[in-house]
Amino acid sequence: MSSYNATAQHTSPDPNTMNYPKTKKVEVTDTYFGTPVKDPYRWLEDDRAADTKAWVEAENKVTQNYLSKIPFRSDIKKRLETLWNYEKFTAPFKEGAYTYFYKNDGLQNQYVLYRQKDKGTPEVFLDPNKFSKDATTSLAGIEFTKDGGMAAYQLSEGGSDWRKVVVLNTADLKQVGDTMIDVKFSGLSWKGKEGFYYSSYDKPNEGSQLSGLTQYHKLYFHQIGTKQSDDMLVFGGDKTPRRYISGGVTEDDRFLVITAAKSTTGNELYIQDLSKPGSPIVNVVNNFDNEHYVIDNIDGKLYIYTNLNAPNYRVVTVDASNPSPENWKDLIPETENVLNVSTAGGKIFANYLKDATSLVMQYDMEGRLERTVTLPGVGSASGFNAKKAEKELYYTFNSYIYPPTIFRYIIASGQSVEYKKPGVSFDPSLYVSKQIFYTSKDGTKIPMIITHKKGVELNGKNPTLLYGYGGFSVSLTPAFSTSNIVLLEQGGIYAVPNLRGGGEYGEKWHLAGTKMNKQNVFDDFIAAAEYLTSNKYTSKDYLALSGGSNGGLLVAAVMSQRPDLFKVALPAVGVLDMLRYNKFTAGAGWAYDYGTAEDSKEMFEYLIKYSPYHALKPGVSYPATLITTADHDDRVVPAHSFKFAARLQEYHNGASPALIRIETNAGHGAGKPTAKIIEEQADKWAFMLYNMGLRYQR
């Protein structure tokens, strides 16, 4: 592969000649604390309306017409298909007499779930590619009974968060009972073989099933052999209205553990002793100020993972008969590094984040450190979980230049053995991935990992993708991407900063990017772009910004604040109307991070200032923009992207395109078929390079 030729090969067409669809405007005004706010594109919020569907069709036609004229678009798609076409496996897990694993032959739209007894020949257990003709129905989770005799699995149709649940006998694969419907944001947790706990909402009475507001979660118990309509409400509903509720049974079947939350941060904790019929549900933590999860139970001694009085998390123990926080005792105390935790083989695995990379330590159940796990390098390790009786586990390790490799880990000795190496066409020795620290606007040091080919000349002309998220305590740890090879192998640069709002440095880091601190996140991203340009990795003519969901908000907010800083913007499935995000689906649950326009005059004024839909200004030249969303996204409804695109096309005054690509029969991202992923990635890279005036070298 030769490197890019940075000489401009074309001039992007003037948007005034692109014939964007004429988007009608309506007279709609909301008043917040005496301030009127016009919302002329409100009508696009109705995803069922004929005129919205016509608008989507017209916008997609303009976008596809533009993309089809990029001369190397098909070359990139072919390259992605070649890169993607290798056997991919997930780490195996044991259920009953079988070992299960997911496998994709290469370009299969959905991973297939296989099982294998001892060293016998693997057989197909579930093939989601056969769930629907167009492979848009995906397997969205599966849980087995303790003996492995039954399994309950979730189906997502068209990427929707609303799920169906099917129960089957694993011996003959015959379905047990009817298919359950209308399950959302739910785990499945078996109580013996009697049945399982699951969560859902009442379906919205008004408006669309995909955009209607979902208010209160309910935890149910489904008894095998009975109708779903007879399922018992365990927790939630009118008596205890909570937005998110989950229920899980400890491995010994002793306790039902319930977590309940009003937003995406902080939860109450409850337990119920299942060994004594009629036992009450006991409150352990009665507020939403912190997070707490029961990770194990041994003879009535609960092991709890929490950030109460420990922003970087700790593990405590307490007697289940008197479980309130004043009785908690430290087992694994808080450290300077953020703790994640799991159990396997009667051990606790502490997976610490050290500057956004993995450091794994193995403890016994008394809190004694047994060893630090030797990892293959600096990167991300995941999967240190298995049942108590297991003697081994399987974990996956990867980084930006280390393809996901599965290791078998012997718990007693701490020995790691390479189990499965991916066959992706990528030579890590040709690339470098290094972490630097740069200074944000207020002096805060921010880590960023920069990945590129060895020997790349820092001349300011390298096409660079700056990717970010910065919210909901999500940590961006090093992760290999097959799609990114297209950029890297030709001399491009991929950069990922760990912005405030994430969880890389614990709850303090998260809170520094929430509510009226949200501008910190945008400042951190802007400072990352300035670092890359001032250090000659790239320049504004060769820099693209990318992010999805809360990261889509990040990209769109930054492009409205600093349109001069970069050439291309790629906001995906973004939260773009900050005054109305809480009116749709589970959006109200994001208020802990964002605040709402109804909270106070001060909060409203803060939100409208950065809200991408409202921050766009007439007559400004914005970067070349390709907004991506999907018609079945019921997490961040597509109305956000629709309204933002309409206003961007109205206001934008420059020689770069402002386009929206709307995937049909797809959702927020999970379960998307391989073919759709490749098409979207090819369009993204083609749009980015074309608008930088670059060629793709085959």
Side-chain angles (χ1 to χ4, degrees):
M1 288 287 165
S2 55
S3 62
Y4 281 112
N5 180 336
T7 310
Q9 302 300 317
H10 73 285
T11 303
S12 290
D14 188 314
N16 298 322
T17 65
M18 289 192 64
N19 296 319
Y20 295 120
K22 279 191 167 41
T23 306
K24 74 177 180 182
K25 296 169 80 170
V26 295
E27 285 293 326
V28 177
T29 302
D30 294 317
T31 302
Y32 298 87
F33 302 98
T35 302
V37 179
K38 291 186 176 182
D39 189 4
Y41 300 115
R42 176 77 58 87
W43 63 275
L44 284 168
E45 291 178 357
D46 187 354
D47 55 82
R48 301 167 306 161
D51 50 358
T52 304
K53 289 177 180 174
W55 182 88
V56 166
E57 199 174 310
E59 288 284 352
N60 267 341
K61 193 173 177 182
V62 170
T63 299
Q64 290 305 322
N65 181 51
Y66 178 91
L67 294 171
S68 69
K69 291 188 168 76
I70 299 176
F72 47 77
R73 177 197 191 192
S74 60
D75 289 339
I76 293 178
K77 185 182 174 189
K78 283 175 194 165
R79 179 62 183 146
L80 284 168
E81 286 172 343
T82 301
L83 288 168
W84 234 277
N85 196 7
Y86 66 93
E87 275 191 335
K88 292 173 273 293
F89 294 85
T90 65
F93 55 97
K94 293 177 182 175
E95 301 291 350
Y98 289 92
T99 296
Y100 290 80
F101 61 91
Y102 291 89
K103 177 189 169 191
N104 188 309
D105 288 341
L107 294 175
Q108 285 178 291
N109 278 312
Q110 303 287 347
Y111 276 68
V112 178
L113 181 56
Y114 289 82
R115 68 178 178 182
Q116 182 177 6
K117 188 179 278 190
D118 300 322
K119 293 187 178 177
T121 304
E123 61 183 20
V124 173
F125 182 70
L126 282 176
D127 184 357
N129 294 291
K130 296 179 179 176
F131 288 171
S132 59
K133 285 184 180 178
D134 60 358
T136 58
T137 299
S138 61
L139 177 59
I142 186 166
E143 292 295 332
F144 293 80
T145 53
K146 199 169 182 181
D147 66 358
M150 279 194 287
Y153 65 90
Q154 298 190 53
L155 295 172
S156 169
E157 295 172 328
S160 172
D161 281 333
W162 288 103
R163 305 281 162 81
K164 292 179 177 175
V165 176
V166 177
V167 181
L168 48 74
N169 282 314
T170 58
D172 56 13
L173 303 187
K174 287 189 176 169
Q175 184 169 339
V176 178
D178 298 329
T179 298
M180 296 168 62
I181 61 170
D182 297 346
V183 175
K184 188 170 185 177
F185 293 163
S186 179
L188 305 173
S189 188
W190 286 90
K191 177 187 174 187
K193 298 186 77 169
E194 292 174 52
F196 54 86
Y197 295 92
Y198 71 95
S199 309
S200 196
Y201 300 90
D202 294 334
K203 272 287 186 81
N205 292 324
E206 298 177 14
S208 163
Q209 299 287 348
L210 292 172
S211 62
L213 190 66
T214 45
Q215 277 290 77
Y216 299 125
H217 226 187
K218 296 178 180 180
L219 179 67
Y220 292 97
F221 181 74
H222 175 71
Q223 190 159 338
I224 298 303
T226 65
K227 292 181 179 177
Q228 185 181 1
S229 56
D230 295 331
D231 287 352
M232 181 179 73
L233 177 66
V234 177
F235 190 89
D238 296 336
K239 290 182 181 176
T240 45
R242 304 289 183 262
R243 198 168 299 286
Y244 306 111
I245 298 171
S246 69
V249 179
T250 53
E251 191 179 335
D252 60 2
D253 277 340
R254 170 80 185 274
F255 291 102
L256 167 65
V257 179
I258 300 171
T259 61
K262 288 185 174 179
S263 70
T264 50
T265 297
N267 65 277
E268 299 169 312
L269 185 65
Y270 299 83
I271 57 170
Q272 183 181 33
D273 190 342
L274 299 177
S275 68
K276 300 170 185 170
S279 289
I281 292 174
V282 176
N283 178 250
V284 180
V285 179
N286 65 0
N287 61 69
F288 305 96
D289 297 341
N290 299 93
E291 306 209 331
H292 332 272
Y293 304 96
V294 174
I295 59 168
D296 206 351
N297 168 65
I298 298 178
D299 299 327
K301 179 183 180 182
L302 298 175
Y303 291 73
I304 299 173
Y305 167 69
T306 179
N307 66 355
L308 174 65
N309 299 324
N312 290 347
Y313 291 88
R314 59 181 172 144
V315 177
V316 300
T317 58
V318 71
D319 192 309
S321 64
N322 199 3
S324 56
E326 61 265 23
N327 299 315
W328 293 1
K329 293 177 183 171
D330 272 10
L331 186 79
I332 302 176
E334 181 190 27
T335 72
E336 62 182 4
N337 297 318
V338 179
L339 171 67
N340 281 291
V341 73
S342 57
T343 59
K347 307 291 182 184
I348 297 173
F349 288 87
N351 195 337
Y352 290 100
L353 273 184
K354 187 172 174 59
D355 292 330
T357 62
S358 294
L359 169 67
V360 184
M361 294 180 171
Q362 178 179 320
Y363 290 85
D364 69 13
M365 299 309 289
E366 299 302 316
R368 289 184 288 261
L369 176 64
E370 293 186 336
R371 68 177 58 87
T372 297
V373 177
T374 303
L375 298 175
V378 176
S380 304
S382 61
F384 288 88
N385 43 52
K387 295 181 177 64
K388 278 183 189 172
E390 299 298 343
K391 302 282 190 274
E392 60 188 25
L393 58 81
Y394 295 86
Y395 71 88
T396 304
F397 181 85
N398 77 139
S399 76
Y400 293 116
I401 57 171
Y402 193 110
T405 303
I406 302 167
F407 291 86
R408 185 162 62 95
Y409 178 80
I410 313 303
I411 295 170
S413 67
Q415 182 188 12
S416 287
V417 181
E418 192 175 281
Y419 175 75
K420 269 203 168 47
K421 196 174 182 178
V424 61
S425 176
F426 181 81
D427 182 356
S429 69
L430 300 177
Y431 300 87
V432 62
S433 190
K434 65 179 180 182
Q435 186 174 60
I436 61 93
F437 289 81
Y438 66 91
T439 306
S440 191
K441 185 178 181 179
D442 63 357
T444 302
K445 293 285 186 192
I446 312 291
M448 175 162 61
I449 296 181
I450 303 171
T451 306
H452 56 78
K453 210 176 207 180
K454 287 178 181 175
V456 161
E457 188 183 346
L458 300 186
N459 59 6
K461 294 184 177 179
N462 302 303
T464 299
L465 188 74
L466 180 63
Y467 177 83
Y469 188 79
F472 297 93
S473 201
V474 170
S475 299
L476 291 189
T477 60
F480 187 80
S481 161
T482 304
S483 174
N484 286 349
I485 299 174
V486 165
L487 177 66
L488 295 176
E489 68 187 357
Q490 301 208 6
I493 290 169
Y494 184 67
V496 182
N498 296 108
L499 313 171
R500 280 175 284 183
E504 291 88 352
Y505 294 106
E507 188 59 9
K508 289 177 184 172
W509 196 252
H510 171 217
L511 292 175
T514 60
K515 294 191 174 79
M516 298 187 76
N517 292 322
K518 188 66 178 175
Q519 184 60 40
N520 286 338
V521 187
F522 312 140
D523 289 343
D524 291 353
F525 207 47
I526 288 166
E530 289 172 336
Y531 176 92
L532 292 168
T533 53
S534 64
N535 286 276
K536 300 285 194 225
Y537 284 96
T538 191
S539 59
K540 74 180 205 84
D541 288 334
Y542 302 101
L543 178 59
L545 303 187
S546 172
S549 196
N550 174 71
L553 160 62
L554 169 70
V555 171
V558 169
M559 71 176 274
S560 69
Q561 292 181 16
R562 290 295 304 277
D564 60 307
L565 195 58
F566 49 101
K567 192 74 173 178
V568 176
L570 301 165
V573 293
V575 188
L576 306 176
D577 181 345
M578 299 309 296
L579 302 189
R580 288 179 57 76
Y581 76 85
N582 55 321
K583 309 292 184 190
F584 306 103
T585 62
W590 311 333
Y592 187 93
D593 255 54
Y594 296 147
T596 74
E598 294 82 12
D599 288 348
S600 66
K601 186 173 189 286
E602 192 182 24
M603 194 72 244
F604 155 68
E605 288 171 348
Y606 192 89
L607 285 168
I608 196 171
K609 188 177 178 185
Y610 80 75
S611 173
Y613 174 57
H614 302 93
L616 293 171
K617 299 287 184 285
V620 174
S621 177
Y622 289 102
T625 304
L626 180 62
I627 303 158
T628 49
T629 188
D631 64 349
H632 276 60
D633 189 344
D634 48 5
R635 187 87 53 85
V636 180
V637 293
H640 284 278
S641 294
F642 294 175
K643 291 165 67 175
F644 181 73
R647 184 164 271 172
L648 181 62
Q649 288 173 355
E650 178 192 359
Y651 285 174
H652 176 45
N653 178 27
S656 55
L659 301 174
I660 181 167
R661 182 189 188 279
I662 304 152
E663 188 68 78
T664 53
N665 211 18
H668 199 58
K672 190 180 286 188
T674 300
K676 283 182 185 280
I677 293 171
I678 288 174
E679 283 171 7
E680 184 176 327
Q681 293 299 306
D683 287 350
K684 177 186 82 173
W685 293 126
F687 182 86
M688 172 180 153
L689 299 179
Y690 186 62
N691 280 284
M692 290 175 178
L694 298 171
R695 292 186 296 197
Y696 174 76
Q697 305 278 357
R698 281 195 288 176

